[in-house]
């Protein structure tokens, strides 16, 4: 994996979890087989939360879940295709059966095959729409009714700096992330009981760029990522938002590398 190692669960984190004023929450994390999702699973499990991790690469999920359980975490895993609404509902239902009602959804799964519009890569554009946009909506549809009925809950959507800045080769990707931002803002305005947080990472060392098929876009991203953040920087931001008191809604967090300008 290309993502830099995240901070493992250890005695210090376990001690923090025991002394933390917020109770353990049931948390869904999508795209958890690498990168930001993996780092977030490690951090939240270390803080004592009950975690269900999902992705399509089940062998990585299983290895991560076993590692975190061996360190004392309450973690389960299940294969998940976020582009399939029924599969996402089954994922949420599995968490409820395993740990109890879902308190937090971390919509993290995403793809980023950058290319210029002139390349006409329709399959890649549609895949970004399916995963980055429909996947977020499928997750919200799966958990929002239960959260509203219980009078509490939290949806954390991982967008991107691309939700705020459009760059060449990133038009479609940025469009999906603008949409993720809009969905989170809409949820914030519509619900009086469900917290909504959008986390927009700058450049992060993850596997997203490994699937760029356009040579020029891939070369540009390689240069862009020379100042990349560790994925745990984003995991810490997500944990911060989750652990605020129930009457505090951290609506948006942008996390950039200090050395970056537009990154």
């Amino acid at each position: 994996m290309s993502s830099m190692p995240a901070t493992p669960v250890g005695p210090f984190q376990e001690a923090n979890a025991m002394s933390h004023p917020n109770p353990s929450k049931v948390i869904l994390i999508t795209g958890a087989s690498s990168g930001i999702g993996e780092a977030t699973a490690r951090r939240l499990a270390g803080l004592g939360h009950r975690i269900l991790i999902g992705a399509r690469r089940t062998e990585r999920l299983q290895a991560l879940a076993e590692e975190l359980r061996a360190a004392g975490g309450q973690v389960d895993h299940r294969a998940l295709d976020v582009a399939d609404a029924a599969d996402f509902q089954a994922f949420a239902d599995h968490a409820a059966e395993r740990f109890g009602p879902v308190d937090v959804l971390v919509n993290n799964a995403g793809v980023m095959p950058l290319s210029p519009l002139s390349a006409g890569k329709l399959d890649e554009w549609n895949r970004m729409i399916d995963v980055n946009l429909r996947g977020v909506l499928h997750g919200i549809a799966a958990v929002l009714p239960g959260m509203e009925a219980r009078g509490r809950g939290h949806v954390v959507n991982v967008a991107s700096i691309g939700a705020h800045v459009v760059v060449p080769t990133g038009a479609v990707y940025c469009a999906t992330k603008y949409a993720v931002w809009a969905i989170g803002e809409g949820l914030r305005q519509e619900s009086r009981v469900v917290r909504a947080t959008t986390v927009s990472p700058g450049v992060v060392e993850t596997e997203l760029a490994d699937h760029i098929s356009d040579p020029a876009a891939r070369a540009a991203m390689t240069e862009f990522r020379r100042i990349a953040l560790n994925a745990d920087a984003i995991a810490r931001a997500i944990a911060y938002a989750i652990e605020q008191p129930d009457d505090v809604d951290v609506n948006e967090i942008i996390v950039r590398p200090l050395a970056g300008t537009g990154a």
Side-chain angles (χ1 to χ4, degrees), residues 12 100 112 124 137 143 196 198 200 215 230 256 259:
F12 178 77
M112 191 184 67
E124 293 184 357
L137 291 170
V143 302
T198 301
S200 293
N230 187 305
R256 286 188 174 102

Side-chain angles (χ1 to χ4, degrees), residues 114-219:
L114 303 179
S115 65
L117 291 171
S118 60
K121 293 180 177 288
L122 285 169
D123 288 345
E124 293 184 357
W125 299 349
N126 285 328
R127 182 60 180 161
M128 280 189 279
I129 292 168
D130 284 343
V131 175
N132 299 358
L133 180 50
R134 289 194 176 96
V136 166
L137 291 170
H138 293 162
I140 292 172
V143 302
L144 186 57
M147 290 179 176
E148 290 281 0
R150 292 188 298 276
R152 64 188 303 272
H154 194 175
V155 174
V156 179
N157 293 328
V158 178
S160 166
I161 197 64
H164 303 270
V165 179
V166 181
V167 297
T169 74
V172 178
Y173 175 75
C174 293
T176 64
K177 294 302 185 177
Y178 264 75
V180 169
W181 179 91
I183 290 165
E185 175 63 7
L187 178 58
R188 181 192 72 80
Q189 294 184 29
E190 291 177 10
S191 181
R192 293 294 179 265
V193 296
V194 176
R195 301 191 293 174
T197 300
T198 301
V199 178
S200 293
V203 59
V204 177
E205 183 61 38
T206 73
E207 296 182 0
L208 279 179
D210 296 348
H211 305 290
I212 298 174
S213 63
D214 183 84
R218 189 181 183 94

Side-chain angles (χ1 to χ4, degrees), residues 5-262:
T7 304
V9 177
F12 178 77
Q13 288 171 291
E14 290 174 359
N16 278 350
M18 288 187 292
S19 62
H20 202 279
N22 290 332
S24 171
K25 295 179 179 179
V26 177
I27 302 177
L28 308 182
I29 304 173
T30 71
S33 59
S34 66
I36 292 171
E38 177 185 351
T40 301
R42 291 181 182 279
R43 183 152 294 276
L44 296 180
L47 291 169
H49 297 294
R50 292 160 287 165
I51 312 295
L52 177 63
I53 54 176
R56 292 185 300 161
R57 295 179 293 185
T58 53
E59 70 286 350
R60 290 193 178 190
L61 287 179
Q62 181 176 352
L64 177 60
E66 289 175 354
E67 176 190 341
L68 295 179
R69 284 197 296 267
Q74 299 181 74
V75 181
D76 197 1
H77 74 283
R78 187 185 186 280
L80 172 63
D81 179 0
V82 298
D84 184 332
D87 195 36
F88 213 134
Q89 186 63 63
F91 181 70
D93 292 344
H94 179 81
E97 293 170 3
R98 177 73 171 80
F99 295 121
V102 175
D103 297 302
V104 182
L105 165 64
V106 180
N107 266 324
N108 166 72
V111 293
M112 191 184 67
L114 303 179
S115 65
L117 291 171
S118 60
K121 293 180 177 288
L122 285 169
D123 288 345
E124 293 184 357
W125 299 349
N126 285 328
R127 182 60 180 161
M128 280 189 279
I129 292 168
D130 284 343
V131 175
N132 299 358
L133 180 50
R134 289 194 176 96
V136 166
L137 291 170
H138 293 162
I140 292 172
V143 302
L144 186 57
M147 290 179 176
E148 290 281 0
R150 292 188 298 276
R152 64 188 303 272
H154 194 175
V155 174
V156 179
N157 293 328
V158 178
S160 166
I161 197 64
H164 303 270
V165 179
V166 181
V167 297
T169 74
V172 178
Y173 175 75
C174 293
T176 64
K177 294 302 185 177
Y178 264 75
V180 169
W181 179 91
I183 290 165
E185 175 63 7
L187 178 58
R188 181 192 72 80
Q189 294 184 29
E190 291 177 10
S191 181
R192 293 294 179 265
V193 296
V194 176
R195 301 191 293 174
T197 300
T198 301
V199 178
S200 293
V203 59
V204 177
E205 183 61 38
T206 73
E207 296 182 0
L208 279 179
D210 296 348
H211 305 290
I212 298 174
S213 63
D214 183 84
R218 189 181 183 94
M221 181 54 65
T222 298
E223 178 63 28
F224 190 59
R225 293 171 71 184
R226 292 186 186 279
I227 55 168
L229 289 167
N230 187 305
D232 187 58
I234 313 306
R236 293 196 303 272
I238 293 170
Y240 169 79
I242 288 172
E243 290 167 6
Q244 298 308 302
D246 287 343
D247 62 344
V248 175
D249 190 2
V250 178
N251 300 138
E252 185 167 10
I253 304 175
I254 299 176
V255 185
R256 286 188 174 102
L258 179 61
T261 53

